[in-house]
Amino acid sequence: MAHELDPRLIERLARFALEEDRAFDDVTTLATVDAGLTGHATFVAREAGVLAGLPVAEACFRLIDDRCRFEPHRTDGEKFGASEPLAVVTGPVRALLQAERVALNFLQRLSGTATLTRAFVDAVAGTQALILDTRKTTPGLRDLEKYAVRCGGGANHRRDLASMAMIKDNHREAIAREGRSLVEAAAAIRQRSPGVAIEIEIDHIAQLEAALEARPEWILLDNMSITDIALAVQQTAGRARLEASGGVRLENVRAIAETGVDAISVGALTHSARALDISLELKF
Amino acid sequence: MAHELDPRLIERLARFALEEDRAFDDVTTLATVDAGLTGHATFVAREAGVLAGLPVAEACFRLIDDRCRFEPHRTDGEKFGASEPLAVVTGPVRALLQAERVALNFLQRLSGTATLTRAFVDAVAGTQALILDTRKTTPGLRDLEKYAVRCGGGANHRRDLASMAMIKDNHREAIAREGRSLVEAAAAIRQRSPGVAIEIEIDHIAQLEAALEARPEWILLDNMSITDIALAVQQTAGRARLEASGGVRLENVRAIAETGVDAISVGALTHSARALDISLELKF
Amino acid sequence: MAHELDPRLIERLARFALEEDRAFDDVTTLATVDAGLTGHATFVAREAGVLAGLPVAEACFRLIDDRCRFEPHRTDGEKFGASEPLAVVTGPVRALLQAERVALNFLQRLSGTATLTRAFVDAVAGTQALILDTRKTTPGLRDLEKYAVRCGGGANHRRDLASMAMIKDNHREAIAREGRSLVEAAAAIRQRSPGVAIEIEIDHIAQLEAALEARPEWILLDNMSITDIALAVQQTAGRARLEASGGVRLENVRAIAETGVDAISVGALTHSARALDISLELKF
Amino acid sequence: MAHELDPRLIERLARFALEEDRAFDDVTTLATVDAGLTGHATFVAREAGVLAGLPVAEACFRLIDDRCRFEPHRTDGEKFGASEPLAVVTGPVRALLQAERVALNFLQRLSGTATLTRAFVDAVAGTQALILDTRKTTPGLRDLEKYAVRCGGGANHRRDLASMAMIKDNHREAIAREGRSLVEAAAAIRQRSPGVAIEIEIDHIAQLEAALEARPEWILLDNMSITDIALAVQQTAGRARLEASGGVRLENVRAIAETGVDAISVGALTHSARALDISLELKF
Amino acid sequence: MAHELDPRLIERLARFALEEDRAFDDVTTLATVDAGLTGHATFVAREAGVLAGLPVAEACFRLIDDRCRFEPHRTDGEKFGASEPLAVVTGPVRALLQAERVALNFLQRLSGTATLTRAFVDAVAGTQALILDTRKTTPGLRDLEKYAVRCGGGANHRRDLASMAMIKDNHREAIAREGRSLVEAAAAIRQRSPGVAIEIEIDHIAQLEAALEARPEWILLDNMSITDIALAVQQTAGRARLEASGGVRLENVRAIAETGVDAISVGALTHSARALDISLELKF
Amino acid sequence: MAHELDPRLIERLARFALEEDRAFDDVTTLATVDAGLTGHATFVAREAGVLAGLPVAEACFRLIDDRCRFEPHRTDGEKFGASEPLAVVTGPVRALLQAERVALNFLQRLSGTATLTRAFVDAVAGTQALILDTRKTTPGLRDLEKYAVRCGGGANHRRDLASMAMIKDNHREAIAREGRSLVEAAAAIRQRSPGVAIEIEIDHIAQLEAALEARPEWILLDNMSITDIALAVQQTAGRARLEASGGVRLENVRAIAETGVDAISVGALTHSARALDISLELKF
């Protein structure tokens, strides 16, 4: 399975993070480690998980010293168990030490998101529901985190405010204030941005029919009970695709999925995943 | 209490995140909300915590539309309870909707870190131990996250690889390989970067005396038992300052502090804090 | 009618263009015009058209000297006749001369696109067909040119490769090579990017039914005869929206629109509009 | 014939345009085309013209995927006929599809300028008149467009406001207001920027002698009749070089050239050239 | 006397230098100086000189804290004596301390160049010779340093390789290798860049006539004796302007100027001027 | 001896300087030198000195044309005599000419700093005193200049305001104003930035004991007589390290060193070093 990631983005982010850490001016390593000393460093999982971010980690070492050689044992998107070696870097010990922390910062964080995503995806296995991310991402890392979600088997909700229309409750109120209907609002969107899919958020089953009249591609069922979600699926009968959100946890995600919704979005995938425990073991 | 943050940094990060979200091209809002409609939006805490990031949130709205007025009810560094209003933004409804998600992404994440930090700081209250962050920060957000740690009452460990020397186990091994002693290594660092403080990491009490001979400003006791930490404090007798790290949790942090160490560093403050639940309630 | 444009984008582009022209180092003006001399300059249309780009022109003068005052007589999106004054700038004569060419470069080019768009929009007046732009834009100016299209009454086709899926003939061939059907390809897209609308390109009426089976939001009828376009409209019967493209000219666009298609896309709006003749007349 | 172009500029512009198009996140291609599929794509001229921009097109493919191989059949600056193959790219089909539009946007636009330039250059063949561009270029693409003019056999007028002095009518008025003469103004320029050539614009033959007194390197004859241009050539007698501008069209350019002027500048070369029709034909 | 300097350039350079110094994160000042404490700081000359760089110094304080007020006592380009106050900044003491070093770094360096330039300009007073800078500037500061030269009464030689042609000895050799004459080389330059002035370097009086045949705007007399320079002036008789360079010192510059050359260029103005001694005296 | 320098920094600075010089658009070279002509250029010292900046010079040529080959004869940090060849570049003559000036600008300036540093270092040979730079560096070139100081055998004082605390006289006054002691101020710094070393500036021997009470890592003896410096060394007796500054010249530096201070800082190393005379001799 290939998980595409823009090589320019990888390089830009890795470089920025190395400069943020002033890795090129590591006062300890440059004063204490001989320039000629070489070694190899192994990324080792300290707990089971799903890998994401290996190409970024690779770039960190290469940007510090292009003599570093990176040999992956796993690929992004693969599951691994505790204690498994994930990749080996060979090169000057100086470079291995200078890039270590930044490489781990990327790898642990992205693998944390991939691992959490995979848990949700596994929990709904056999249903038709996709697990989606949200726009609740770390500022500056959106493309990377959405990639990590794909590594975990999830799918990407809209990337940004321009790539899909979402009529939320506040929009509905503004629309009502101006004396317009949802149908008119959807038409205004299609007039301005005809190629963009429209999703309408509802938080009560009673709003469903009015929303469907606007013929959106998607309807978002926000914070609704499982009973109401099931009712919405039945009532919609394929006239739009349905997404459930709000209060989704590993404990209840399968029940939500079994209502027949098309997708379930989970903010925690990106805003609250904890870093996975991965270490770098150096030998020389 | 003032918590300093470079205004240029705030503006650069806010702008970058808004562009990442293509907030200026919000296809929904621009098509459905009248340009003349104004309103006000209140940041409301859905759980208790410590505030961090308000100036960044403010910048998000101002950069979208400089007619937005931001009125803080709390200041960064203050504690708040569930349901408390934190700040109110007044301005065009379009701008309120366009900046909402990005502003929340910053505020929830940074307040998450400040809140977790405060929990650790409160847990060691009355001891002399500082709670320190690490370099395990989100790539691109280091200065912001270290600021959030200060908002939570913590102190900042070295900002980057150039601002303090830290001789870790891998450095020790490299030094040994080259037939040099710790004393010589420390001298080499002082020769190259005389103004930089030196910390030496040890993971066994038996290494303490050799480390002290190099006259470091700090010694890092990594993953040592509370008994050994206490022993190290006694044996060091003020010859260096002592930092404990490794496996630090809210449950054991007070016991570590009571050994008399000067500081305790906690990677989780920045790498695994979950986003705090804060909402933006819009009225117009 | 308001035409939204990101103020940051305006400023960035204006600044870049001024630097490209080294306007701040105008060797003629700085040596020959007294710093204290003030005047006013009027943008005058030398031919009728539709205005686009006034905020960018305004920014050019303001960035050179923030004492420049800009008074618009027309708004972006308005029609104007030959010889009409469009806006007046008052300020130091030095600044007026330094920014003149760059301001005109933006204004003439964008008004050219808006004017050409308006001609197509007027030609299909009374039909339901939208006039759409394409991705055939000037590198670096896409957002500005798509804005100019809106100023001319057109609508924006997908902004970029990430904001809508378009299965073109080459994709179809690749899909076939891999032994997959259009239905499977569309499903793969929806699996990866569920919120993105899908358009399928066909160039022969015989391909229509197979395309409709994949349930795309849009079908693109490329280079088809008016008879076939009309047939496609009839056969589709609302199952997807239809866009016509290829060989669209002012002479035939109304006939295409009258077939009942939802949209007609015209690459020339951005790739071949000529600059509108606008001059800046300086008085002091 | 070699046409120099800064390789860094090429790379920066190509990368920027690819990012503007979000080519690295092509939701269609990444979901429907297998990563392992390779093919080759041929740039084919659909009309005769002069080539410009091939190195930029090459960079677009290489930046998407450095396995792309680019084999030119023509060089920038060469004429080609309709249906001729211009270059072939071989590589992963994904990359060919992701870079296609951006590469064409550069190539069509720049070849359009080169082709229009060549038409003017051919029209004055046998005279001594150079065909010059102006500063009426696309913001952000000035160096590229001036390169395209050279590809078409034209020469470059001043690149920017710092690289040559041009005393226009507005400067003359400001100079007069301050009670200074043209001679004094020219001296002021030479005092400040001694190495810069000076051109004085006149729009009436009666202004010629006064202009010549200032000993400019160039005189610009703006919007003057062919009779007056001829008179100016005779009267100047080599004391300055002469440039004609204003209302220059393919129909009258030869007559202007035959007056003996040294150069003729044509704004349309860059502000109103239409994109040349070039297609990319993919085989795999 | 006004000395123009692009305000954007000032801001960009000041901001960059402040970030380079991490002035916003001044660990001493933020921990020890109260945020509410205000004061004023006076720039005081410790030796006589010519001022250059005041707007950059002003920007440094304003960028740190926009409450800083800057009151100049002198203007760029003015002479001042030892102990004279040059400007006063009023504002928060924190900001005064954070920006101090960076503001002085600019002001001392640029005033050093202006002062040295003025010494050369004064030395040739009464002759017609301009004192010119060279391209031997500090990387990144060329525009600022060339401005400082103007502040000192000097004039600017070509800004960069694109703004004037200079045929040096190496070019002559390359031209000869290709079997071309100087006349042909000059024609090739004029063909490619017709608006650019041409200078030809000679280092022996015997080369003068051949150089004059190419009709350059300038001839550079490099490292020639005063006798030969005088001979060149006589022989040239106004057919080109003459610049002398090489081994120019305060001791011999007047003798060179009295030969009648039009300009004398001095690399030391920018590559070897020492920083002027200026201090910032803080009161609060 | 290896002198580390971030390869990314080198490339960024070299590229910026080449663009500043518009080296890619060298109107002379591109018009007069054949693209196929190759040659070699030798950097030759015209005076004795210490080398610094060779990797930057190398990058200048490589960035213009990656066919340039760079063969160093000396390494950064080495001493050389007058007339010695330092390095040879082989490649297209065009590239050699285009990059020449920028490469020399870096090399002459940095070698100037290294050479001056070495003179001070040699003057104190046999004592324990380090020669330190200051923050009086050229805006934008700090890392490069501090590297040149290391090449000359010097050591680097604090890089920026965040990497070490320095309590200067103005801080002392602010602290006194707020009714705090030096001990309290030092504690406040350690509370906020525990890993940062503290230096306290005194300008009178009478302040020494109060300063020592705060237990700083360093004390700066500013502008004190040699007698007082010697007294301070004796009185401090190893309780802090001592730095002398102010009025340090080659004539008096050894006397200062012989007092037993640990370090002597010299602003002139970076703010007033003159460019070393190095030429590039081209053969082809």
Side-chain angles (χ1 to χ4, degrees), chain F residues 23 46 49 61 108 232 251:
Chain F
R46 287 187 176 158
F61 293 96
Q108 292 180 307
E251 295 74 34

Side-chain angles (χ1 to χ4, degrees), chain F residues 26-282:
Chain F
D26 178 345
V27 294
T28 316
T29 301
L30 294 174
T32 63
V33 179
D34 200 78
L37 192 65
T38 59
H40 60 272
T42 307
F43 285 97
V44 179
R46 287 187 176 158
E47 56 180 319
V50 175
L51 193 62
L54 217 51
V56 194
E58 185 275 332
C60 292
F61 293 96
R62 180 172 37 83
L63 287 170
I64 289 283
D65 193 320
D66 57 17
R67 291 169 297 177
C68 290
R69 289 293 160 260
F70 197 91
E71 184 196 347
H73 288 209
R74 292 284 182 186
T75 312
D76 275 10
E78 287 187 336
K79 288 190 176 181
F80 53 80
S83 309
E84 280 193 28
L86 305 173
V88 178
V89 208
T90 311
V93 172
R94 282 189 171 186
L96 301 180
L97 290 168
Q98 288 172 278
E100 172 182 7
R101 182 72 261 144
V102 170
L104 283 170
N105 282 351
F106 280 111
L107 199 62
Q108 292 180 307
R109 183 171 304 266
L110 296 174
S111 296
T113 284
T115 302
L116 184 56
T117 303
R118 171 56 63 189
F120 278 94
V121 169
D122 287 349
V124 302
T127 73
Q128 67 168 342
L130 296 171
I131 295 298
L132 298 183
D133 53 26
T134 63
R135 286 168 46 244
K136 299 176 181 176
T137 55
T138 309
L141 300 185
R142 180 166 293 177
D143 287 312
L144 226 47
E145 292 183 343
K146 287 192 165 256
Y147 163 79
V149 166
R150 295 200 303 274
C151 288
N156 297 145
H157 207 306
R158 64 173 174 169
R159 188 197 167 278
D160 51 54
L161 290 171
S163 63
M164 186 189 187
M166 168 95 76
I167 302 180
K168 298 194 170 187
D169 54 351
N170 284 317
H171 296 100
R172 295 163 69 101
E173 189 172 334
I175 291 162
R177 273 297 189 86
E178 296 152 13
R180 289 192 287 159
S181 67
L182 265 181
V183 172
E184 288 165 328
I189 292 170
R190 294 201 204 280
Q191 175 78 21
R192 186 184 188 279
S193 314
V196 154
I198 298 180
E199 179 159 19
I200 299 178
E201 180 187 282
I202 66 173
D203 52 14
H204 199 281
I205 188 77
Q207 300 166 318
L208 182 61
E209 277 306 323
L212 283 167
E213 273 173 34
R215 305 190 53 184
E217 278 77 9
W218 284 87
I219 286 184
L220 172 61
L221 311 172
D222 190 41
N223 270 314
M224 284 170 49
S225 69
I226 288 189
T227 317
D228 280 358
I229 295 174
L231 195 56
V233 170
Q234 188 182 353
Q235 218 168 301
T236 300
R239 285 179 289 169
R241 293 209 277 163
L242 295 176
E243 170 190 353
S245 75
V248 181
R249 296 183 312 282
L250 278 172
E251 295 74 34
N252 64 1
V253 69
R254 181 159 195 96
I256 299 173
E258 288 177 343
T259 61
V261 288
D262 299 278
I264 301 169
S265 57
V266 188
L269 301 184
T270 53
H271 74 53
S272 293
R274 66 172 181 74
L276 208 74
D277 198 356
I278 298 173
S279 69
L280 186 69
E281 298 180 1
L282 185 56

Side-chain angles (χ1 to χ4, degrees), chain E residues 20-21 27-29 32 34 101 105 109 135 138 140 142 159 161 166 171 177-178 180 272 275 284, chain F residues 20-21 28-29 32 34 101 105 109 135 138 140 142 159 161 165-166 171 177-178 180 272 275 284:
Chain E
E20 186 182 53
D21 198 29
V27 294
T28 317
T29 300
T32 63
D34 199 77
R101 183 72 261 143
N105 282 351
R109 182 171 304 265
R135 285 168 46 245
T138 309
R142 180 167 291 176
R159 188 195 168 278
L161 289 171
M166 169 94 76
H171 295 100
R177 273 296 189 88
E178 297 153 13
R180 289 192 288 159
S272 291
F284 54 98
Chain F
E20 186 183 53
D21 198 29
T28 316
T29 301
T32 63
D34 200 78
R101 182 72 261 144
N105 282 351
R109 183 171 304 266
R135 286 168 46 244
T138 309
R142 180 166 293 177
R159 188 197 167 278
L161 290 171
M166 168 95 76
H171 296 100
R177 273 297 189 86
E178 296 152 13
R180 289 192 287 159
S272 293
F284 54 97

Side-chain angles (χ1 to χ4, degrees), chain C residues 20-21 28-29 32 34 101 105 109 135 138 140 142 159 161 165-166 171 177-178 180 272 275 284, chain D residues 20-21 27-29 32 34 101 105 109 135 138 140 142 159 161 166 171 177-178 180 272 275 284:
Chain C
E20 185 183 53
D21 198 28
T28 318
T29 300
T32 63
D34 199 79
R101 181 71 262 144
N105 282 352
R109 182 172 305 266
R135 286 167 46 245
T138 310
R142 181 166 291 175
R159 187 195 168 282
L161 289 171
M166 169 94 77
H171 296 100
R177 271 299 188 85
E178 296 152 14
R180 290 193 287 160
S272 292
F284 53 97
Chain D
E20 186 183 53
D21 198 28
V27 293
T28 317
T29 300
T32 63
D34 199 78
R101 181 72 263 146
N105 282 351
R109 183 170 305 265
R135 287 169 44 244
T138 309
R142 180 166 292 176
R159 187 195 169 279
L161 289 170
M166 168 94 77
H171 295 100
R177 272 298 189 87
E178 296 153 14
R180 289 194 287 159
S272 292
F284 54 97

Side-chain angles (χ1 to χ4, degrees), chain C residues 120-235:
Chain C
F120 277 94
V121 169
D122 288 350
V124 302
T127 73
Q128 70 168 342
L130 296 170
I131 296 299
L132 299 183
D133 53 26
T134 63
R135 286 167 46 245
K136 298 175 182 178
T137 56
T138 310
L141 300 184
R142 181 166 291 175
D143 287 313
L144 226 48
E145 291 183 343
K146 287 194 164 256
Y147 163 79
V149 166
R150 296 201 302 274
C151 289
N156 297 145
H157 206 307
R158 64 173 173 170
R159 187 195 168 282
D160 52 52
L161 289 171
S163 63
M164 187 187 186
M166 169 94 77
I167 302 178
K168 298 194 171 188
D169 52 353
N170 284 319
H171 296 100
R172 295 164 68 101
E173 190 173 334
I175 292 163
R177 271 299 188 85
E178 296 152 14
R180 290 193 287 160
S181 67
L182 266 181
V183 170
E184 288 164 329
I189 293 170
R190 293 199 205 283
Q191 176 77 20
R192 187 185 187 281
S193 315
V196 154
I198 298 179
E199 179 159 18
I200 299 177
E201 181 186 280
I202 66 174
D203 54 13
H204 198 282
I205 189 75
Q207 300 167 316
L208 182 61
E209 276 307 323
L212 283 167
E213 271 172 35
R215 303 193 54 187
E217 279 77 10
W218 284 87
I219 286 183
L220 171 61
L221 310 171
D222 189 42
N223 270 315
M224 284 171 49
S225 70
I226 289 189
T227 315
D228 280 358
I229 295 175
L231 195 58
V233 171
Q234 191 182 350
Q235 217 168 304

Side-chain angles (χ1 to χ4, degrees), chain E residues 244-268:
Chain E
S245 76
V248 181
R249 297 181 312 281
L250 277 172
E251 296 73 34
N252 64 1
V253 68
R254 182 159 195 96
I256 299 173
E258 288 178 343
T259 61
V261 288
D262 299 278
I264 302 168
S265 56
V266 188

Side-chain angles (χ1 to χ4, degrees), chain D residues 166-167 172 182 198-202 211 214 216 218-221:
Chain D
M166 168 94 77
I167 302 180
R172 296 164 68 101
L182 266 180
I198 299 180
E199 179 159 20
I200 299 179
E201 180 187 283
I202 67 173
W218 283 88
I219 286 184
L220 172 62
L221 310 171

Side-chain angles (χ1 to χ4, degrees), chain B residues 120-121 124-131 253 256-258 260-264:
Chain B
F120 278 94
V121 169
V124 302
T127 73
Q128 68 168 342
L130 296 171
I131 296 298
V253 69
I256 299 172
E258 288 177 343
V261 288
D262 299 278
I264 302 168

